Amino acid sequence: MTCDAIEGVRNQETKHVEIEPNGACETKMVRPRLLVVSMSLPVTAKRTGEDSWSFTMSPGGLVSALLGLKEFETKWIGWPGVDVHDAVGKKALSSALAKKGCIPVFLEEVCDQYYNGYCNNILWPIFHYLGTPPEYRNDATITYQSQYDAYKKANRIFFDVVKEHYEEGDVVWCHDYHVMLLPQYLKEYNSKMKVGWFLHTPFPSSEMYKTLPSRSDLLRSVLTADLVGFHTYDFARHFVNACMCILGVEATSEGVVDQGKVTRVAVFPIGIEPERFINTSKLSEVIQYMKKFKNDFGGRKLILGVDRLDMIKGIPQKYQAFEKFLGENEDWRGKVMLLQIAVPTRNGIGEYQKIKDQCHGLVGRINGRFGSISSVPIIHLDCSIDFNQLCALYAITDVLLVTSLRDGMNLVSSEFIACQREEKGVLILSEFAGAGQSLGAGALLVNPWNIKEVSNAIGEALHMSPEEKERKHKINFQYVKTHSTQQWADDFMNKLNEIITNADLGISKVPHELPEHDVIQQYMKSNSRLVILGFYGTLTHPYKNQERRDERMSLELHPQLEGRLKALCSDPKTTVVVLSRSEKSILDKNFGEYNMWLAAENGMFLRHTSEEWVKKIPEHMNLEWIDGVKNVFKYFTERTPGSYFEISETSVVWNYEYADVEFGRIQARDMLQHLWAGPISNASVDVVRGDRSVEVHAVGVTKGIAMDRILGEIVNNNSMTTPIDYVLCIGSFLVKDEDVYTFFEPGVTKKTKPSPASDSDSPKKVSSTTVDLKDESYFSVAIGRTHTKARYFLDSSDDVVQLIHKLCLYNNV
Ligand SMILES: O=P(O)(O)OC[C@H]1O[C@H](O[C@H]2O[C@H](CO)[C@@H](O)[C@H](O)[C@H]2O)[C@H](O)[C@@H](O)[C@@H]1O
Ligand SMILES: O=c1ccn([C@@H]2O[C@H](COP(=O)(O)OP(=O)(O)O)[C@@H](O)[C@H]2O)c(=O)[nH]1
């Protein structure tokens, strides 16, 4: 959750003073207007005349959840549940909806192919691990393509409506798998729009997701949003993993980095509006219902199920478990009943008809088997039910049975908990519902596929002592009360605002094109300069991707570098360090002849070229995992033509830039699974998935962390006699190494620690030489990326070599 963000963003609310009619001043907090975009509006429209409409509440958790957004000025954009073809009808519907804060999206002829087709027959089953339905296997290309075209068209229609109603400063919050292309359309139209995307369903493991033909387009679009949210960490992890495997982007602790652009990915478990349920269950009408239902049920214990009649809800599994329970517990027959509210949904899809028939068949069988003239064990209702009746049912329920095979969250569980009164019921909850992570502690968690386990859980719930029920209820009630829909929306919006504010602040500071004139001027003025250079992409041949040949060209030094770099290194006032993740022998081979410092393996080994290598590995570092990782890398290298791996004392890097990159990505994904399952499962390592590489290294091996040790060694070595008053740090570094750019910020005096004797064999002179760096003499430069912590950027190693040349030229070296 993102509670830490809340305070910061509350401060961003604008103060707005209003004069009341009586002259009193009131200060109000004005929040950005919120445009909620979802497939369905909270109400479904029904035409009652040429220009008149009536409305009923749309079913499903998304609607229930978003109705709880009270503290935002919200406009809701979505489909009204009907097709309207005439102008009179559209106008009348639009104005009736406007009074409810809703804006209709008319999907017309694309609706069926879009909603029943691509959304609910392709994305929905894939996202819920059901796979593509069989009918696509016969004429897959035609059906799939036309439905995807409809999806694109529908997303365009949503975009047009948002565009029409968007006002500067609005936040556009896109909901669910129906509008995955919308973030991209919005950002292409206006890159400053604040766009969030939240998925209410599970995001499947990349193994399942990758079966989707349009997998890359959808991911790329979602990544254009400023913030991407999920109900659980599992879903977020699967999403990040899919982005890494399919798009080859880099993952960080905050989200996904694509070409330097960071998309934040975070977890926001949705809640309900607890007060609505608590208060409703106290209403006299509801209490009347409770009495009536209890009477109707004739003193039998009540097991309740409330689900849309959807394959993912596991209703047949629920029936089978109940059948087993009755079969094995004769004494409970006639004393317990299962009431299933099976809310109709997506009737236009064949699979939904089938599940209905299947349920009816099972109910018939079980009722035939265990029913009597006076009662049947299962009441199955194909309808939705009135809210007050629903709350009454929740309140008198002994066991709520949730057997979802997969479920984004499952709000029914929370609603049940909120409605409990004196005698507490028991929640049996599928471990495959997102709610399992939040309410598991106060529930009996089950695997719905294990009929025996569910049947046993029913028995356990029915026999549970009042004290245990009370204890479990208390845990969950506390959670439900404090994790409301409003809280959920606040968290999401606050995080989104925080991201945008930080990005706005960032834009003014980073990165500018390198001011060459200043770099040279300050260089000439200074007396003790430190020049830190990366290797790959900084000093190597600037081949473009498409020019890559079958050999390791990027390992070649830039053709014009040699003389220029030698000149720079020969300047007595300049200390040059090449800081690379490469191992010692590669740096030796390329830079052994220069008068400079070499920091291999991200600073784990250091030497001045006139001296021997010094080991800078912290003593406690555990490196036992290396052999296991090496074996896995070897296996994949043999099976991925063109790939290679480099092994050093603290890291192993597998690189597939010269392999078929698509294949390389697939292999990288499998490789990571092998690694996590085996050699690194218990090791203290960082795994970095680069654009075309996988690197495993000991924790804490970043260039920024190494800088401290490097500086200490250089200073102790006495090669610098005066404080460093100029730093130029240029590299094409991974995101995790960008800490090196901030090492010398904000340009104040740094005192270096003498290196501990255990770090090296060479004797140490304890020196306290300092860095005395003015802000204008510090230049951190990223190559080829504009989203960076560096102050400046350069395009390629050509620019680096040119710059080195000019530094020497103007300085007469
Ligand atoms: O509008 P429908 O196509 O009939 O479907 C109803 C909704 O079903 C899905 O709900 C999900 O959202 C809930 C709240 O986050 C969550 O608890 C549940 O697990 C999900 O299944 C769907 O994601 C919505 O878009 C639909 O409106
Ligand atoms: O007749 C009914 C019974 C229930 N619900 C509501 O439908 C939602 C179901 O949400 P959940 O997250 O459990 O699953 P979803 O249907 O969204 O997959 C809950 O808020 C229920 O109160 C409904 O709209 N009509």
Side-chain angles (χ1 to χ4, degrees):
M1 286 285 281
T2 55
C3 309
D4 54 337
I6 296 171
E7 263 326 296
V9 180
R10 291 226 164 106
N11 295 338
Q12 291 153 29
E13 294 164 336
T14 324
K15 275 194 182 149
H16 179 79
V17 179
E18 276 191 0
I19 315 280
E20 298 286 326
N22 62 6
C25 287
E26 196 194 13
T27 305
K28 285 190 173 167
M29 291 303 186
V30 180
R31 292 189 151 207
R33 204 173 65 135
L34 177 61
L35 299 184
V36 166
V37 188
S38 70
M39 164 69 203
S40 300
L41 284 176
V43 286
T44 301
K46 191 171 168 216
R47 201 162 189 168
T48 48
E50 198 196 358
D51 61 354
S52 58
W53 292 87
S54 70
F55 300 99
T56 51
M57 174 119 152
S58 309
L62 187 149
V63 167
S64 308
L66 293 179
L67 282 174
L69 300 187
K70 297 262 158 46
E71 286 180 23
F72 297 94
E73 191 203 332
T74 307
K75 293 268 171 258
W76 194 324
I77 297 173
W79 183 57
V82 278
D83 287 335
V84 192
H85 300 286
D86 62 301
V88 178
K90 280 184 185 170
K91 197 166 164 223
L93 179 54
S94 301
S95 58
L97 283 171
K99 292 185 192 127
K100 298 176 182 296
C102 295
I103 300 164
V105 176
F106 296 111
L107 293 168
E108 301 186 348
E109 75 283 352
V110 294
C111 191
D112 181 51
Q113 293 245 31
Y114 162 64
Y115 178 64
N116 289 328
Y118 196 76
C119 291
N120 288 333
N121 221 1
I122 295 185
L123 292 180
W124 179 267
I126 288 178
F127 281 20
H128 290 87
Y129 293 83
L130 298 173
T132 326
E135 63 262 32
Y136 290 88
R137 288 174 207 145
N138 304 328
D139 58 351
T141 342
I142 306 163
T143 318
Y144 174 81
Q145 196 51 51
S146 65
Q147 295 191 346
Y148 186 50
D149 288 344
Y151 184 80
K152 286 193 272 190
K153 247 188 223 164
N155 273 254
R156 279 269 168 220
I157 298 174
F158 276 100
F159 163 69
D160 289 335
V161 178
V162 177
K163 191 172 76 175
E164 192 188 327
H165 293 271
Y166 174 80
E167 289 169 17
E168 203 186 320
D170 287 353
V171 171
V172 186
W173 191 2
C174 309
H175 288 267
D176 243 351
Y177 56 97
H178 311 91
V179 287
M180 289 178 85
L181 292 175
L182 186 58
Q184 184 178 343
Y185 296 158
L186 294 171
K187 287 287 190 177
E188 278 168 0
Y189 167 68
N190 179 350
S191 61
K192 291 217 158 60
M193 261 193 199
K194 302 172 192 175
V195 179
W197 182 76
F198 187 87
L199 184 66
H200 290 261
T201 69
F203 193 92
S205 104
S206 57
E207 277 305 300
M208 177 53 80
Y209 180 78
K210 73 179 185 184
T211 61
L212 187 63
S214 46
R215 60 196 185 180
S216 307
D217 293 354
L218 299 184
L219 290 182
R220 283 216 181 280
S221 170
V222 167
L223 287 182
T224 61
D226 300 293
L227 174 62
V228 174
F230 298 92
H231 282 316
T232 71
Y233 280 104
D234 284 350
F235 306 159
R237 181 168 50 82
H238 290 155
F239 173 78
V240 170
N241 212 20
C243 290
M244 292 198 313
C245 298
I246 295 165
L247 305 179
V249 296
E250 208 181 316
T252 71
S253 55
E254 296 190 322
V256 174
V257 188
D258 187 10
Q259 319 273 323
K261 185 208 176 272
V262 183
T263 306
R264 302 287 285 272
V265 178
V267 175
F268 306 90
I270 204 168
I272 59 166
E273 214 187 332
E275 301 306 335
R276 183 164 162 245
F277 288 88
I278 295 169
N279 295 337
T280 306
S281 57
K282 290 180 190 155
L283 295 178
S284 61
E285 186 193 338
V286 175
I287 293 169
Q288 286 309 313
Y289 276 133
M290 291 181 203
K291 285 188 188 140
K292 181 184 177 311
F293 292 148
K294 277 194 164 192
N295 192 41
D296 292 348
F297 301 150
R300 286 184 290 168
K301 293 278 179 194
L302 173 63
I303 301 177
L304 179 70
V306 180
D307 309 89
R308 279 179 308 102
L309 186 43
D310 195 304
M311 293 77 73
I312 65 151
K313 300 291 182 179
I315 300 173
Q317 284 75 4
K318 193 183 302 195
Y319 288 157
Q320 285 168 43
F322 188 52
E323 182 179 29
K324 187 166 180 57
F325 175 76
L326 292 177
E328 289 176 357
N329 296 276
E330 211 174 320
D331 49 332
W332 274 105
R333 291 181 203 161
K335 292 188 189 142
V336 60
M337 59 175 284
L338 168 57
L339 168 61
Q340 176 65 46
I341 312 292
V343 182
T345 186
R346 306 174 192 175
N347 289 327
I349 302 172
E351 290 298 307
Y352 285 76
Q353 297 293 337
K354 281 189 211 155
I355 190 85
K356 193 172 177 179
D357 294 344
Q358 193 190 354
C359 288
H360 290 179
L362 277 166
V363 172
R365 182 177 89 195
I366 299 163
N367 282 346
R369 198 173 151 199
F370 298 112
S372 67
I373 293 173
S374 52
S375 72
V376 286
I378 301 182
I379 299 178
H380 172 107
L381 301 178
D382 286 320
C383 63
S384 56
I385 93 166
D386 162 83
F387 185 66
N388 285 355
Q389 293 188 352
L390 178 67
C391 291
L393 281 175
Y394 282 146
I396 60 161
T397 287
D398 296 290
V399 181
L400 183 84
L401 187 47
V402 179
T403 49
S404 307
L405 306 178
R406 297 278 166 183
D407 216 338
M409 178 55 75
N410 191 279
L411 295 180
V412 163
S413 322
S414 299
E415 295 170 1
F416 161 72
I417 287 158
C419 289
Q420 293 300 283
R421 291 169 62 81
E422 293 79 38
E423 265 185 60
K424 305 299 181 310
V426 181
L427 171 62
I428 299 181
L429 180 55
S430 163
E431 65 184 64
F432 296 112
Q437 263 182 22
S438 313
L439 302 176
L444 297 179
L445 281 181
V446 289
N447 170 4
W449 293 101
N450 187 340
I451 302 301
K452 186 167 172 36
E453 188 181 315
V454 180
S455 159
N456 289 345
I458 293 174
E460 189 183 340
L462 289 172
H463 288 110
M464 193 178 281
S465 69
E467 296 74 34
E468 182 59 6
K469 287 191 214 173
E470 185 66 47
R471 193 188 70 78
K472 284 195 179 310
H473 169 78
K474 213 168 156 191
I475 297 170
N476 278 348
F477 188 72
Q478 177 62 18
Y479 181 87
V480 169
K481 250 213 98 200
T482 48
H483 293 78
S484 63
T485 320
Q486 192 59 53
Q487 184 69 53
W488 166 76
D490 276 349
D491 287 351
F492 190 93
M493 294 292 280
N494 289 330
K495 189 76 184 170
L496 184 58
N497 273 326
E498 179 202 74
I499 291 164
I500 290 160
T501 311
N502 288 348
D504 286 348
L505 291 174
I507 283 163
S508 57
K509 34 180 227 269
V510 284
H512 297 293
E513 212 166 322
L514 186 66
E516 207 177 80
H517 177 76
D518 297 350
V519 177
I520 296 168
Q521 274 239 319
Q522 293 300 327
Y523 186 86
M524 286 161 65
K525 274 199 221 160
S526 52
N527 284 314
S528 180
R529 310 150 186 148
L530 179 63
V531 178
I532 305 154
L533 300 168
F535 177 24
Y536 297 105
T538 309
L539 304 177
T540 50
H541 202 297
Y543 287 109
K544 301 270 179 301
N545 282 353
Q546 61 269 32
E547 293 172 318
R548 283 199 174 116
R549 296 193 221 136
D550 238 9
E551 52 200 81
R552 298 180 193 179
M553 288 209 150
S554 72
L555 301 185
E556 282 178 12
L557 280 190
H558 191 287
Q560 279 122 43
L561 180 73
E562 193 180 339
R564 295 168 183 193
L565 187 59
K566 278 210 167 119
L568 188 77
C569 294
S570 67
D571 186 329
K573 288 186 185 172
T574 304
T575 302
V576 180
V577 184
V578 169
L579 172 54
S580 169
R581 74 178 186 191
S582 309
E583 55 175 320
K584 299 183 292 272
S585 62
I586 295 180
L587 295 191
D588 282 341
K589 185 174 139 229
N590 285 285
F591 303 103
E593 302 301 312
Y594 295 76
N595 171 30
M596 61 159 62
W597 285 85
L598 302 178
E601 297 187 27
N602 279 336
M604 289 292 150
F605 295 89
L606 189 67
R607 80 164 175 128
H608 187 270
T609 45
S610 59
E611 293 179 11
E612 291 304 306
W613 283 104
V614 176
K615 204 174 190 173
K616 306 299 289 179
I617 303 175
E619 267 176 291
H620 56 272
M621 196 169 265
N622 179 353
L623 299 169
E624 280 165 14
W625 48 270
I626 285 200
D627 275 348
V629 172
K630 189 183 85 184
N631 289 339
V632 175
F633 277 27
K634 195 161 167 267
Y635 175 94
F636 279 93
T637 301
E638 281 164 13
R639 283 155 187 82
T640 314
S643 71
Y644 62 94
F645 74 95
E646 292 166 295
I647 179 158
S648 65
E649 297 198 36
T650 57
S651 70
V652 195
V653 184
W654 183 65
N655 197 310
Y656 56 92
E657 64 181 324
Y658 304 110
D660 175 323
V661 172
E662 265 301 300
F663 182 58
R665 276 181 193 142
I666 294 168
Q667 295 288 75
R669 185 201 56 223
D670 291 348
M671 170 191 274
L672 287 172
Q673 274 161 9
H674 278 275
L675 289 174
W676 278 316
I680 61 170
S681 62
N682 251 333
S684 210
V685 294
D686 284 331
V687 180
V688 182
R689 176 94 197 246
D691 183 17
R692 280 138 209 247
S693 63
V694 176
E695 175 177 344
V696 183
H697 59 238
V699 164
V701 185
T702 71
K703 291 186 166 71
I705 293 175
M707 207 51 233
D708 203 27
R709 293 194 296 266
I710 296 171
L711 204 56
E713 189 65 30
I714 294 174
V715 164
N716 279 325
N717 191 283
N718 232 4
S719 64
M720 281 178 166
T721 46
T722 49
I724 297 165
D725 58 357
Y726 177 98
V727 175
L728 173 63
C729 172
I730 311 182
S732 167
F733 300 135
L734 289 172
V735 173
K736 63 116 184 141
D737 284 323
E738 285 227 334
D739 53 354
V740 72
Y741 295 132
T742 48
F743 182 82
F744 290 96
E745 297 278 12
V748 287
T749 303
K750 260 186 207 301
K751 213 172 190 130
T752 62
K753 285 188 223 113
S755 305
S758 59
D759 272 353
S760 144
D761 299 334
S762 55
K764 288 277 150 331
K765 289 176 200 147
V766 179
S767 153
S768 61
T769 308
T770 55
V771 178
D772 188 10
L773 187 63
K774 294 207 173 61
D775 196 53
E776 63 271 24
S777 304
Y778 177 49
F779 302 92
S780 53
V781 191
I783 297 175
R785 70 161 54 163
T786 48
H787 284 79
T788 172
K789 289 180 186 157
R791 292 181 174 193
Y792 308 102
F793 72 90
L794 283 175
D795 282 336
S796 74
S797 59
D798 279 339
D799 300 327
V800 181
V801 174
Q802 273 291 90
L803 181 70
I804 293 175
H805 182 53
K806 285 183 189 162
L807 288 176
C808 300
L809 204 68
Y810 288 101
N811 208 35
N812 293 325
V813 185

